[in-house]
Amino acid sequence: MEVIYMSQHGMKPVQEEIRDRLRVCVHDHRGAMGKAAAADIHAAMKRLLAEKERIRIVFAAAPSQNECLAALVQSQGLDWSRVTAFHMDEYIGLPRSAPQRFGSFLSRSLFDRVSPGEVHLLDAMNDPEAECERYGRLIRESPIDMVVLGIGENGHIAFNDPPVADFADPLWVKQVKLDLDCRQQQVNDGCFANLEEVPKYALTLTIPALMSGAQLFCVVPGASKRAAVQRALYGEISEACPASILRQHPDCTLYVDRDSYGDIRNG
């Protein structure tokens, strides 16, 4: 179903549609996409901070988020001291000094620059089972207001790759083995020099944890994501493409550029 609406910041996408309950906003290039997503995130934060004393947000860490996070850092008028921030996944086995750690990525790109009142990072140096329990308790302490996420080349959200994704997962945080496509993407993204350097295991928020967020902003640029976007929008809603579950969220917007959206109906 094609629709036309004005986004909260007044910037009109070049194309829009609704798939089930999912809003899709197509922008001309990834810079415009990132700015549009950041403006909508800013508007949502502003509204929530006018209604609540504190808000809780989960952020993804990936090169796909660069433009959105850079624009969010530049936005004005937000009281970040009233924000509690989380991230959604972390490699197991990397030293604390490794630049590829997702907590380090978000600290460099966002947290150190806007100074949220609280930042809770996954500690993958801890015992995995104990860390999943600790972080799960933090996530469940109070409802999550917003989740800013992406989609992987294999259709994953967070590190819920197809082999381990579970729409009815009883856990909120778990240890997972990363599939080959997921690990190869980390090389494709330039995060690691070769496949051997990419960790094989990680901690991740589960799909029910991500879907518990009241409002989701999914930012997915680049031609390498086109097949995953197509499956997420037009394939069966199943764990074979974990991102397909976003079509069932009551308030999720997918931001794509022309490269990731493509001529999607023709593949």
Side-chain angles (χ1 to χ4, degrees), residues 198-248:
V198 183
K200 295 182 179 179
Y201 295 91
L203 303 178
T204 185
L205 269 63
T206 62
I207 290 174
L210 298 173
M211 292 289 283
S212 78
Q215 193 169 7
L216 273 55
F217 301 84
C218 188
V219 184
V220 189
S224 66
K225 303 293 181 70
R226 186 179 299 179
V229 169
Q230 180 168 355
R231 292 195 304 273
L233 291 180
Y234 292 96
E236 180 185 0
I237 296 177
S238 78
E239 285 95 345
C241 180
S244 63
I245 194 65
L246 299 177
R247 284 158 44 196
Q248 295 185 343

Side-chain angles (χ1 to χ4, degrees), residues 61-225:
S64 64
Q65 307 299 300
N66 284 342
E67 291 81 8
C68 175
L69 295 179
L72 191 58
V73 165
Q74 296 300 317
S75 63
Q76 303 295 317
L78 291 175
D79 184 359
W80 282 90
S81 69
R82 294 163 54 203
V83 175
T84 299
F86 302 86
H87 67 135
M88 58 184 59
D89 44 18
E90 186 60 89
Y91 295 114
I92 293 175
L94 291 181
R96 293 193 187 278
S97 60
Q100 298 96 335
R101 287 171 62 99
F102 291 146
S104 299
F105 174 95
L106 281 171
S107 295
R108 293 191 305 269
S109 301
L110 182 65
F111 300 152
D112 290 348
R113 303 172 70 181
V114 298
S115 301
E118 295 181 47
V119 175
H120 296 293
L121 299 179
L122 281 158
D123 184 1
M125 305 296 286
N126 194 8
D127 172 76
E129 185 174 344
E131 182 60 12
C132 290
E133 177 62 29
R134 181 192 76 86
Y135 210 71
R137 285 198 304 269
L138 288 172
I139 291 288
R140 293 191 304 269
E141 275 182 358
S142 186
I144 295 296
D145 295 291
M146 298 167 57
V147 178
V148 182
L149 71 160
I151 296 175
E153 292 179 13
N154 64 357
H156 72 211
I157 49 177
F159 268 147
N160 296 282
D161 293 333
V164 299
D166 184 352
F167 291 166
D169 206 310
L171 302 174
W172 279 56
V173 185
K174 67 181 181 182
Q175 178 179 345
V176 294
K177 184 176 182 179
L178 304 178
D179 78 7
L180 183 60
D181 289 341
C182 174
R183 294 177 64 229
Q184 183 60 50
Q185 180 186 325
Q186 314 311 313
V187 179
N188 299 345
D189 284 347
C191 300
F192 294 88
N194 54 65
L195 190 63
E196 289 68 32
E197 292 184 4
V198 183
K200 295 182 179 179
Y201 295 91
L203 303 178
T204 185
L205 269 63
T206 62
I207 290 174
L210 298 173
M211 292 289 283
S212 78
Q215 193 169 7
L216 273 55
F217 301 84
C218 188
V219 184
V220 189
S224 66
K225 303 293 181 70

